[in-house]
Amino acid sequence: MGMSLSEGADDDDDFGENHEINVTPFIDVILVLLIIFMVAAPLSTVDLPINLPSSTVTPQKKPDKPTYVSIKPDLAVAIGENMVKRVDLVRQLDAMGDGNKDRPIFLRVDRAVPYGEFFDVMERLRAGGYQKTKLVALEGVPDAAAASPAPAAAPDAPKP
């Protein structure tokens, strides 16, 4: 009482053709691409070391290709990651865009930059026709030192 598993084929050594798609290599390629994009996405942002203040305001949607102007602690000005002179700031912005001065300019300013220097860059942008300037801050809760008010100065004790 023997039983044969072949379906009438004389060759027991040959397997029948398989007409299914092997998706394992496809999944491997997709996973590798996913890892590449996960690593590359944080690298596509502006990478100048600036100590930004915190804000608790709800974040707004950013455009696809934002234009960042940064003021570093040493008062150097950069567009994206390219350093520029202040006198050439508007000229460089005009050369970068399609002549559209209605696009928003995202201004990143370090905490250590004095208000006068920050205002000077704002005035240069406004004089150049860039009216839509947005300030960039870190998202989240502000620092405890920045959130607490400064202690009041103690009055001088009378001298005997």
Side-chain angles (χ1 to χ4, degrees), residues 6-16:
S6 64
E7 297 177 8
D10 292 335
D11 285 340
D12 289 337
D13 294 337
D14 292 336
F15 293 107

Side-chain angles (χ1 to χ4, degrees), residues 6-88:
S6 64
E7 297 177 8
D10 292 335
D11 285 340
D12 289 337
D13 294 337
D14 292 336
F15 293 107
E17 292 183 12
N18 188 358
H19 296 287
E20 296 177 7
I21 297 174
N22 186 3
V23 295
T24 305
F26 176 71
I27 292 173
D28 291 343
V29 170
I30 295 299
L31 289 176
V32 169
L33 288 175
L34 176 67
I35 292 170
I36 290 171
F37 285 123
M38 286 174 55
V39 169
L43 301 177
S44 66
T45 60
V46 177
D47 196 28
L48 288 177
I50 292 183
N51 186 12
L52 294 173
S54 298
S55 175
T56 57
V57 177
T58 305
Q60 296 180 356
K61 185 178 182 268
K62 294 179 185 171
D64 293 334
K65 295 181 181 177
T67 303
Y68 288 101
V69 174
S70 304
I71 305 174
K72 294 176 60 174
D74 61 354
L75 305 181
V77 178
I79 299 174
E81 294 181 8
N82 302 323
M83 303 305 286
V84 296
K85 295 180 181 179
R86 287 189 189 201
V87 294
D88 296 333

